Amino acid sequence: MTRLSLANSPFELRGTFIVTGGTRGIGRAISERFARSGARVIANYVRNEKTARELQSSAAREDLPITVCIETQVKESGTPLAGIVHCAATGTHRTVESLTGRHLDWTFALNVRALYELVTRLLSQFDSRPSCILAVSSLGATRALPQYTAIGASKGALEALIRHLAVELAPRGIRANSLTPGAVATEAWRAIPGGAARLAEVAQRSPNGRLVTAEELALCAQFLCSPAAAGVNGQTLIVDGGATIVA
């Protein structure tokens, strides 16, 4: 679909969006989807130079309006914003007895506090037009998953933060929502104990008989950040192919 054909579409995106963790996995899919849908994208990364270069090269070949930059450049950009999508995440997969306070601090710092810091520092840069904040969460925010205590707790806090932002920022014309993926086969699963077996189990349990894709998540992110979702605020959209409704 060309930008011209999007002219009167309620799903068109306009203005500049920051996508944290926007150079790989789900974040990259969202960066590319938003750029193809009419937005200008600032794809943030912290340390993975290889994936950042790959996205920049791909965007140049396809003539997509994506700028790749490190974290500090995002905070100093001064660009008027239409929205922030928080995909950046970290954590350690450990049992409760093997976790330390340092593990929790590290996990919460990126998964929760980073979004808070970004929003509060850039609040004055949001466009006067309706704007949005979207956080990519996890099923672990509401479900107990094996060796997921630190990450799951941080995602639960992230969703709570989004609800409060939704209420407090609504008078400014800023909506805030969460997007919760089911299992998506990204490289992050390599760090999860028994990751391959768990992915296969989820695919088998899903009514669709497969995992959801990063591209499907990106389409849902586009919806939540578009005028079509103007009435959606403070909510969590689960995109898992129906896996969590199966007994």
Side-chain angles (χ1 to χ4, degrees):
M1 184 179 290
T2 66
R3 289 190 193 177
L4 184 61
S5 65
L6 282 167
N8 297 310
S9 170
F11 299 99
E12 179 183 13
L13 299 179
R14 296 183 179 180
T16 299
F17 286 80
I18 292 174
V19 182
T20 70
T23 62
R24 57 180 178 169
I26 294 171
R28 174 170 177 168
I30 290 175
S31 293
E32 293 175 330
R33 178 71 256 165
F34 278 32
R36 293 187 180 109
S37 303
R40 295 183 300 277
V41 176
I42 299 175
N44 152 262
Y45 72 101
V46 176
R47 60 179 179 272
N48 195 318
E49 293 282 350
K50 181 174 181 289
T51 58
R53 289 194 302 269
E54 289 172 352
L55 175 59
Q56 192 73 81
S57 297
S58 174
R61 287 194 302 271
E62 296 185 47
D63 195 26
L64 295 177
I66 298 175
T67 300
V68 176
C69 66
I70 60 174
E71 180 182 13
T72 53
Q73 291 173 322
V74 165
K75 294 175 181 176
E76 298 166 357
S77 67
T79 304
L81 296 175
I84 294 173
V85 181
H86 186 51
C87 296
T90 191
T92 181
H93 297 270
R94 292 172 178 262
T95 58
V96 171
E97 61 268 22
S98 64
L99 283 173
T100 66
R102 186 174 180 180
H103 291 135
L104 289 176
D105 289 344
W106 171 51
T107 303
F108 273 72
L110 181 58
N111 295 1
V112 187
R113 183 170 177 173
L115 177 60
Y116 166 79
E117 295 280 358
L118 198 58
V119 169
T120 54
R121 292 185 188 186
L122 301 181
L123 198 54
S124 63
Q125 293 176 216
F126 276 87
D127 287 345
S128 57
R129 77 185 85 185
S131 306
C132 67
I133 298 165
L134 180 64
V136 176
S137 186
S138 164
L139 292 173
T142 56
R143 294 169 179 264
L145 305 176
Q147 299 186 42
Y148 206 71
T149 299
I151 303 170
S154 72
K155 292 297 188 177
L158 178 63
E159 291 188 10
L161 174 63
I162 284 292
R163 288 190 292 273
H164 285 276
L165 292 176
V167 173
E168 293 199 31
L169 301 183
R172 294 173 176 256
I174 302 172
R175 297 181 298 108
N177 292 291
S178 300
L179 178 64
T180 295
V184 180
T186 63
E187 65 180 39
W189 277 86
R190 297 175 186 173
I192 299 176
R198 288 169 63 179
L199 284 174
E201 179 186 353
V202 172
Q204 185 176 19
R205 187 172 68 247
S206 171
N208 292 343
R210 64 173 179 83
L211 302 174
V212 293
T213 67
E215 290 70 26
E216 289 169 333
L217 264 294
L219 284 167
C220 292
Q222 178 187 343
F223 162 67
L224 288 172
C225 292
S226 73
V232 183
N233 193 31
Q235 304 302 312
T236 298
L237 175 62
I238 298 175
V239 183
D240 69 345
T244 53
I245 64 173
V246 178

